[in-house]
Amino acid sequence: MPRYVNVALGQLGPIQRADSRAQVVQRLCALMREAHAVGAHLIVYPELALTTFFPRWYMEDQAEIDSFFEREMPNEATRPLFALARELGIGFYLGYAELAEEGGRSVRYNTSILVDRTARIVAKYRKVHLPGHAEHEPWRRFQHLEKRYFTPGPGFGVTRAFGGVMGMAICNDRRWAETYRVMGLQGVEMVLIGYNTPVHNAPAPDHDDLSLFHNELSMQAGAYQNGTWVVGVAKAGVEEGVDSIGGSCIVAPSGEVVARCLTKGDEMAIARCDLDFCGIYQRTTFDFDRHRQPHAYGLIVERKGVTLAAGESAPAARQA
Ligand code: ING
């Protein structure tokens, strides 16, 4: 019997600064009802799905910054979403800003949770790759201060849920091959990714026309090279004057896009994902145990950035 997971994209249009969490949760619930009507088992929402993308602003007042964070989950604002999930028997991935207490200290993460079909939180992930910058850079049309407001998470885990092996990542993580490979080495069959991606990338404006292409390319590569499903969901459209891409889609282990959203607003789309389809890649082309050569990969972990050695030759042949 194939292990099907009916996965819905829960794409959000813009959330303006004045939009309350209650209003946003109503939108999330409406998408969940649409997903339930077409037989979804799981719906995936964007990164930072409860508020506007606040890292676009330079702020110094910690209370103002912390107004965008959640101190517990579920909480008063999200309880209706958990209740509906329990009523409908639908799981969900939700991205939000997490204010955690660790050893008496406040730590702030860009977080996602995986909630199963009984509305129980079965996994929590904290974004590893924080893009942008940490100090105010007024030359930019808008800021991207994730390095200022968040702490990098510890790494990428997987969780048994929905009949398979599920993994999570957030936004910029999807651009890094390591994200998928670390989960691939844990047998991941479906990677869930929410994102907020501005069309304009201030340090590289020439890339703006390729933002949707790079979005899909990154997820298609990650899917194919690890024989896993990848689900990417946008918060899209013009938020506080900043336009972000849509491009929400579901990518099969073959690298093919099997479902996508068509608008830049609140939109649900669905695909029936056969988790056993992963095997025809993970047991052949990407049978890691049979084909990988870790002795040749040391630099991937040993080095953070590029080191150029003059006249560096090919790696010396390893001693037998
Ligand atoms: N956003 C963007 C992303 O990685 C970005 C940042 C945009 C990086 C364009 C490079 C190019 O999709 C988040 N939130 O990570």
Side-chain angles (χ1 to χ4, degrees), residues 31-315:
L31 287 165
M32 185 177 280
R33 289 187 191 284
E34 282 186 53
H36 180 253
V38 291
H41 304 142
L42 164 65
I43 183 167
V44 181
Y45 296 121
E47 167 193 34
L48 296 176
L50 298 174
T51 67
T52 196
F53 187 77
F54 63 90
R56 69 167 66 89
W57 296 305
Y58 176 72
M59 295 176 276
E60 289 183 337
D61 176 58
Q62 196 60 53
E64 180 183 15
I65 296 166
D66 287 351
S67 71
F68 293 100
F69 284 76
E70 314 303 325
R71 285 157 179 71
E72 66 265 337
M73 187 58 68
N75 56 23
E76 189 194 346
T78 55
R79 228 174 293 286
L81 182 65
F82 280 77
L84 183 62
R86 189 176 303 108
E87 177 195 334
L88 301 180
I90 287 196
F92 61 92
Y93 162 114
L94 181 72
Y96 63 93
E98 177 192 12
L99 176 49
E101 297 302 325
E102 292 176 1
R105 284 178 46 247
S106 294
V107 188
R108 293 164 181 80
Y109 295 108
N110 187 341
T111 294
S112 67
I113 51 172
L114 182 59
V115 178
D116 71 11
R117 298 179 69 178
T118 69
R120 196 166 49 89
I121 297 176
V122 293
K124 176 181 280 189
Y125 167 71
R126 281 126 171 200
K127 188 174 183 179
V128 168
H129 297 96
L130 299 171
H133 47 106
E135 300 306 326
H136 191 207
E137 295 185 4
W139 59 271
R140 294 168 177 256
R141 273 189 234 161
F142 49 87
Q143 305 296 297
H144 198 113
L145 288 159
E146 293 194 58
K147 294 186 191 297
R148 184 182 185 83
Y149 297 135
F150 301 119
T151 298
F156 306 99
V158 298
T159 308
R160 285 203 169 279
F162 301 95
V165 181
M166 310 294 287
M168 291 191 278
I170 299 176
C171 205
N172 195 253
D173 289 324
R174 75 192 186 287
R175 300 179 190 277
W176 299 93
E178 294 87 345
T179 298
Y180 304 94
R181 184 50 47 87
V182 167
M183 288 189 269
L185 288 166
Q186 299 174 71
V188 77
E189 295 174 314
M190 182 174 279
V191 179
L192 311 178
I193 307 174
Y195 59 86
N196 287 238
T197 300
V199 171
H200 175 63
N201 183 23
D206 293 356
H207 300 179
D208 294 4
D209 290 347
L210 295 170
S211 51
L212 281 169
F213 169 67
H214 289 155
N215 175 57
E216 256 182 56
L217 175 67
S218 301
M219 295 193 284
Q220 287 180 288
Y224 168 62
Q225 292 173 348
N226 296 279
T228 178
W229 291 88
V230 174
V231 182
V233 180
K235 169 130 67 64
V238 181
E239 264 193 8
E240 301 295 329
V242 176
D243 189 14
S244 286
I245 66 168
S248 303
C249 62
I250 299 175
V251 186
S254 60
E256 297 166 290
V257 173
V258 296
R260 61 172 82 243
C261 289
L262 302 176
T263 71
K264 291 181 73 169
D266 291 13
E267 182 183 346
M268 190 283 300
I270 189 165
R272 185 183 70 167
C273 303
D274 177 0
L275 296 180
D276 291 326
F277 193 61
C278 297
I280 66 170
Y281 289 90
Q282 292 180 355
R283 287 199 305 274
T284 58
T285 310
F286 296 107
D287 179 338
F288 290 166
D289 191 47
R290 209 144 62 99
H291 298 306
R292 291 186 73 245
Q293 296 292 345
H295 75 272
Y297 308 153
L299 289 188
I300 289 176
V301 175
E302 291 154 18
R303 282 190 195 173
K304 176 175 169 58
V306 171
T307 308
L308 290 179
E312 181 172 43
S313 62

